[in-house]
Amino acid sequence: MKIGIVCYPTFGGSGVVATELGKALAQKGHQVHFITYSQPARLDFFNENLFYHEVYIPDYPLFHYPPYELALASKMVDIVKFEKLDVLHVHYAIPHASAAYMAKQILKTQNINIPVITTLHGTDITLVGKDPSYEPVVTFSINQSDAVTSVSDDLRVETYKYFKVEKEIEVIPNFINLERFRKQPKEHFKAAISPFGEKLLVHTSNFRQVKRVEDVIRIFAEVRKTVASKLLLVGDGPERPGIEKLCRDLNICQDVRFLGKLEAVEEVLSIADLFLMPSEKESFGLAALEAMACEVPVISSNAGGIPELNVQGVTGFLSNIGDVDDMVKNALFVLQEENLPRFKAAALAHAQQFETGKIVPLYEACYQSAIENQRKTVAAQA
Ligand code: GMT
């Protein structure tokens, strides 16, 4: 198939899923065309089936807000026509689903019928999407998509709850490349970070409010009173200055390392003992899956789709959002020498269920059926 993928090119989860999907599809022989405003962060290797088309927004003094959606729709029209794409797959509803709708309508006037698949990732529904500023457009463009997928059952339910969506939503969970995300021998790195065998707790996120990074710090501050440990923070975002201040206030800076936006996150996860994800909202929790694949158990909240990934008492523990005391209690239990090995093994075993090879065929089947339905509709109208 010739597949167009529209996504955010940044390190965010939806962009990561879209890029890894495109890479996996290209390796299976499909031709994949990324359409976005800059090179996707994880589009980092050459494959003859992978193409990247940059959306260019001409500057004009009148444009206080540059009309990205129009430039994107125009680019989609151009690429679908020139590359003869079979299907367009847009990740994150805003503004990709409505831009795709516009592109589809333009192409229709030229007798080109392109099916559009929309994948809902999380905040496009649970946070930004349901804001009245966007809701009517989000509802409309989801309903106009030829197929809709969501990354967890919880997100599917939330979508039906907040939007008048009539379309069937298929759940296709996040997936993981187990060749990249696996526990690697990084003993020298571990010795440098925790020279006295301290336990290593890790959190990775975009440091936004929904991630509750403050809870991460408070959990760690309590855990280190009982178990000698260090905290590694991967990622960056608006909450970081406040978090740095909190570390100073709690006088724990000597045991906390801010590593910033690291690309090789699997190297950090390879030396970790525990992953912390106390999020307020989390449609799936890709960062936790990456940790589990590297044999790291997870202490998390029970927000959104996390319970579909982290199995209570098996791969880690879940607590109510904001229940720092319970998370501390659970973390101390998992970190006990007699418990840690079985949690690590279970984390990996469960992550294997989300392996790329098991999930990508679900997207391929979704494309095939959308293309088939489109053909039937066109034939019926002829
Ligand atoms: O906030 C983030 O984690 C980024 C966000 C995104 O859309 O880029 O991630 C969402 O999509 C990921 C991939 O499907 C999910 O694993 C994350 O759980 C989800 N984040 C939230 O729902 C907050």
Side-chain angles (χ1 to χ4, degrees):
M1 280 180 273
K2 288 187 171 187
I3 303 155
I5 293 188
V6 177
C7 64
Y8 283 106
T10 47
F11 278 100
S14 62
V16 169
V17 169
T19 312
E20 294 297 340
L21 173 62
K23 283 156 67 172
L25 290 164
Q27 272 166 346
K28 292 183 87 172
H30 299 290
Q31 201 181 86
V32 178
H33 294 261
F34 285 94
I35 307 171
T36 182
Y37 59 80
S38 73
Q39 173 98 7
R42 287 224 188 153
L43 197 59
D44 49 6
F45 77 112
F46 174 76
N47 178 301
E48 74 269 25
N49 292 328
L50 279 177
F51 300 84
Y52 158 58
H53 308 276
E54 187 162 318
V55 180
Y56 170 67
I57 317 169
D59 202 11
Y60 187 66
L62 194 64
F63 295 158
H64 184 60
Y65 300 105
Y68 177 65
E69 198 174 336
L70 302 189
L72 174 62
S74 298
K75 194 73 181 177
M76 285 193 236
V77 168
D78 179 53
I79 301 303
V80 169
K81 275 166 69 176
F82 187 74
E83 302 289 352
K84 301 193 169 34
L85 299 189
D86 298 306
V87 65
L88 268 177
H89 186 181
V90 303
H91 292 258
Y92 208 88
I94 305 169
H96 300 152
S98 47
Y101 169 76
M102 193 185 297
K104 186 180 165 97
Q105 295 312 309
I106 295 168
L107 288 160
K108 210 171 179 177
T109 64
Q110 301 171 28
N111 290 322
I112 298 170
N113 294 287
I114 182 97
V116 171
I117 319 294
T118 297
T119 289
L120 310 172
H121 279 273
T123 50
D124 47 351
I125 294 300
T126 58
L127 208 68
V128 202
K130 67 184 191 205
D131 188 289
S133 322
Y134 299 115
E135 184 278 320
V137 177
V138 173
T139 306
F140 177 80
S141 45
I142 291 175
N143 279 328
Q144 293 297 321
S145 302
D146 294 278
V148 183
T149 76
S150 78
V151 297
S152 65
D153 193 53
D154 181 81
L155 184 60
R156 180 179 157 277
V157 170
E158 290 283 295
T159 308
Y160 285 127
K161 186 162 139 197
Y162 290 108
F163 301 84
K164 283 207 174 86
V165 166
E166 295 132 21
K167 288 237 70 102
E168 192 186 314
I169 301 175
E170 181 185 356
V171 176
I172 304 185
N174 286 176
F175 54 89
I176 189 86
N177 176 352
L178 292 173
E179 275 167 35
R180 173 176 170 184
F181 286 89
R182 65 189 160 82
K183 193 175 178 69
Q184 301 168 14
K186 294 278 168 195
E187 296 318 319
H188 58 290
F189 183 28
K190 176 125 188 169
I193 301 280
S194 55
F196 303 107
E198 295 94 329
K199 293 282 182 258
L200 275 180
L201 282 68
V202 172
H203 169 79
T204 73
S205 79
N206 52 17
F207 283 60
R208 294 190 186 276
Q209 239 180 350
V210 286
K211 303 293 176 181
R212 296 186 69 99
V213 189
E214 199 179 310
D215 287 0
V216 170
I217 303 299
R218 294 195 185 281
I219 295 165
F220 175 67
E222 285 307 308
V223 167
R224 74 189 272 286
K225 287 180 186 166
T226 308
V227 176
S229 45
K230 303 266 182 186
L231 175 65
L232 299 179
L233 296 165
V234 181
D236 207 344
E239 296 290 296
R240 180 163 164 182
I243 293 304
E244 286 185 10
K245 181 173 179 306
L246 181 61
C247 290
R248 287 184 188 182
D249 292 347
L250 294 171
N251 196 21
I252 57 170
C253 294
Q254 64 280 21
D255 290 330
V256 181
R257 291 281 286 268
F258 288 84
L259 299 177
K261 288 183 184 172
L262 267 188
E263 232 168 281
V265 63
E266 66 277 15
E267 293 184 4
V268 177
L269 294 169
S270 289
I271 60 166
D273 296 295
L274 200 59
F275 188 80
L276 302 178
M277 179 176 264
S279 305
E280 180 102 34
K281 292 182 189 298
E282 203 69 64
S283 64
F284 181 86
L286 179 61
L289 175 57
E290 292 178 343
M292 288 161 64
C294 296
E295 300 176 36
V296 188
V298 175
I299 294 297
S300 70
S301 71
N302 54 9
I306 304 179
E308 294 168 50
L309 173 66
N310 190 16
V311 185
Q312 181 78 323
V314 179
T315 60
F317 284 95
L318 302 96
S319 310
N320 290 331
I321 298 163
D323 193 344
V324 169
D325 292 345
D326 195 52
M327 293 186 202
V328 170
K329 188 191 83 197
N330 293 334
L332 289 173
F333 180 78
V334 175
L335 287 172
Q336 284 173 25
E337 291 303 344
E338 65 271 31
N339 295 334
L340 200 47
R342 88 179 135 92
F343 279 100
K344 286 189 172 194
L348 172 60
H350 195 58
Q352 284 164 343
Q353 294 187 21
F354 299 91
E355 198 252 317
T356 306
K358 294 190 173 116
I359 308 299
V360 170
L362 303 178
Y363 281 115
E364 289 174 289
C366 177
Y367 299 160
Q368 283 294 2
S369 121
I371 292 168
E372 203 46 47
N373 288 342
Q374 183 79 57
R375 267 194 209 127
K376 281 185 196 150
T377 311
V378 173
Q381 285 165 352

